[in-house]
């Protein structure tokens, strides 16, 4: 377990977000420490994806702040005082530091696997084609797909495509990786290979936030768990504590429903 005194790598402070009259995030605050895997659990519609998307300002929060290594994300001092939202151009380098892996992989069909992974580092990382290809091969090695570098995405299984998407995220050399239900769109027999790669990244000491319905996996791999419901953090703590001995009735009910409780509660 990490020391409480360790400085936060990523800090969300009082994030709030509404869509129309629906308040989707209500005062969400948490820290991610360096090298930590934090798992975000909760029922569908509880605000998990919105929370992840607010961290890198893919979604603009209505209130609150996000800091990565104490640097404010998405907002800069305005000329007339106060803060203003960054433009997309200003945001791009910050977003690259927080790579996202989505449920659907969005690979370019007309590019080889290697080119899919190399594209970001060439376009926004300033790498030459040769450098980016070398980096892509290295990252494809990490997801055990170097032998598929010259293939096109349509020739790969869903699990392999998601591993390419993870290699693409790694090639950004991000400080944090945000996973939003990375295995939810996969056939059950393909889930394991993707979780295996995520587990290796956790063991390497990457800093990651993982939204998942794979409760047992979260129990095994995450250092800490946050349980969200209705736009609130209901409960958070070490994975084993929250998942094996949830304190709040809503957490208990959710874990019971999804069959994630490791042992019957006594
Ligand atoms: P989760 O990922 O936990 O399932 P989401 O963050 O996707 O939850 O959604 C939380 C709530 O916000 C849901 O009720 C959803 O319908 C709503 N919502 C999410 N994105 C939008 C949007 N772009 N416009 C309107 N409502 C949205
Ligand atoms: Mg979601």
């Amino acid at each position: 377990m990490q020391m409480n005194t360790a400085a936060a790598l990523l800090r969300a402070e009082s994030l709030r977000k509404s869509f129309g009259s629906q308040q989707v995030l209500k005062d969400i605050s948490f820290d991610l420490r360096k090298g930590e895997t934090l798992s975000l659990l909760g029922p569908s519609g509880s605000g998990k994806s919105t929370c992840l998307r607010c961290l890198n300002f893919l979604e603009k929060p209505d209130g609150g702040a996000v800091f990565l290594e104490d640097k404010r994300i998405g907002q800069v001092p305005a000329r007339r005082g106060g803060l203003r939202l960054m433009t997309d151009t200003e945001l791009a380098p910050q977003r690259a530091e927080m790579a996202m892996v989505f449920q659907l992989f969005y690979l370019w069909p007309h590019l080889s696997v290697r080119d899919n992974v190399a594209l970001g580092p060439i376009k926004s990382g300033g790498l030459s084609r040769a450098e980016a290809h070398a980096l892509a091969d290295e990252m494809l090695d990490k997801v055990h797909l170097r032998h598929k570098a010259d293939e096109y995405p349509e020739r790969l299984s869903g699990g392999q495509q998601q591993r390419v998407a993870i290699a693409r995220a790694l090639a950004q050399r991000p400080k944090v990786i945000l996973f939003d239900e990375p295995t939810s769109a996969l056939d059950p027999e393909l889930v394991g290979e993707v979780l295996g790669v995520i587990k290796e990244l956790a063991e390497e000491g990457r800093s990651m936030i993982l939204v998942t319905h794979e409760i047992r996996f979260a129990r095994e791999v995450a250092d800490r768990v946050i349980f969200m419901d209705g736009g609130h953090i209901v409960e958070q703590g070490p994975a084993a504590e929250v998942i094996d001995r949830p304190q709040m009735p809503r957490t208990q009910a959710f874990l019971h429903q999804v069959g994630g409780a490791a042992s019957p509660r006594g």
Side-chain angles (χ1 to χ4, degrees):
M1 215 175 92
Q2 321 275 326
M3 297 282 289
N4 280 333
T5 51
L9 172 67
L10 180 69
R11 189 151 46 96
E13 277 183 14
S14 296
L15 288 179
R16 290 191 311 279
K17 177 71 183 176
S18 295
F19 294 111
S21 61
Q22 188 193 5
Q23 244 193 309
V24 173
L25 297 181
K26 305 166 185 165
D27 198 12
I28 297 287
S29 299
F30 63 88
D31 280 354
L32 175 74
R33 294 186 280 268
K34 197 168 190 305
E36 188 177 44
T37 298
L38 176 64
S39 187
L40 207 49
L41 308 179
S44 183
S46 57
K48 306 179 300 294
S49 295
T50 305
C51 180
L52 279 196
R53 294 165 61 84
C54 279
L55 293 178
N56 63 5
F57 275 63
L58 273 179
E59 207 69 80
K60 315 281 188 245
D62 301 326
V66 180
F67 297 91
L68 181 64
E69 291 179 328
D70 288 327
K71 220 174 145 233
R72 190 186 279 268
I73 299 298
Q75 292 171 292
V76 281
R79 212 173 293 163
R80 289 184 213 146
L83 295 167
R84 67 164 175 83
L85 284 173
M86 287 181 175
T87 63
D88 278 341
T89 313
E90 289 171 320
L91 258 169
Q94 292 193 329
R95 287 203 177 119
E97 295 188 323
M98 288 186 271
M100 278 197 96
V101 176
F102 301 94
Q103 190 172 328
L104 300 172
F105 343 108
Y106 308 112
L107 300 176
W108 293 108
H110 62 289
L111 294 180
S112 71
V113 161
R114 180 184 289 116
D115 283 327
N116 264 283
V117 177
L119 189 64
I122 293 171
K123 288 239 171 197
S124 36
L127 266 58
S128 72
R129 200 177 151 77
E131 287 166 339
H133 278 181
L135 176 64
D137 283 355
E138 194 187 319
M139 297 307 142
L140 286 169
D141 238 354
K142 283 202 172 292
V143 301
H144 314 296
L145 283 176
R146 184 146 178 188
H147 59 292
K148 297 288 188 187
D150 294 312
E151 285 288 4
Y152 284 81
E154 66 173 12
R155 301 276 308 265
L156 270 52
S157 72
Q160 290 172 332
Q161 290 186 45
Q162 186 60 301
R163 283 149 64 199
V164 173
I166 294 173
R168 178 179 58 186
L170 292 172
Q172 284 179 228
R173 300 199 175 285
K175 291 182 175 148
V176 179
I177 310 174
L178 309 174
F179 290 95
D180 194 357
E181 298 197 28
T183 59
S184 292
L186 298 175
D187 291 333
E189 72 272 21
L190 303 177
V191 167
E193 63 188 68
V194 172
L195 293 182
V197 164
I198 295 172
K199 185 174 177 198
E200 287 169 9
L201 296 177
E203 285 167 351
E204 261 183 25
R206 302 255 174 190
S207 312
M208 315 195 286
I209 302 181
L210 170 67
V211 175
T212 183
H213 290 296
E214 303 282 342
I215 308 292
R216 279 163 212 282
F217 182 72
R219 165 75 175 77
E220 184 189 342
V221 170
D223 297 294
R224 273 189 314 130
V225 164
I226 288 177
F227 174 70
M228 272 181 77
D229 194 12
H232 287 288
I233 293 180
V234 173
E235 186 164 353
Q236 61 176 310
E241 264 173 45
V242 174
I243 293 174
D244 296 351
R245 291 177 296 282
Q247 298 300 306
M248 304 302 285
R250 275 195 286 174
T251 319
Q252 293 166 359
F254 172 76
L255 290 172
H256 183 73
Q257 201 184 356
V258 299
S263 56
R265 293 179 36 75

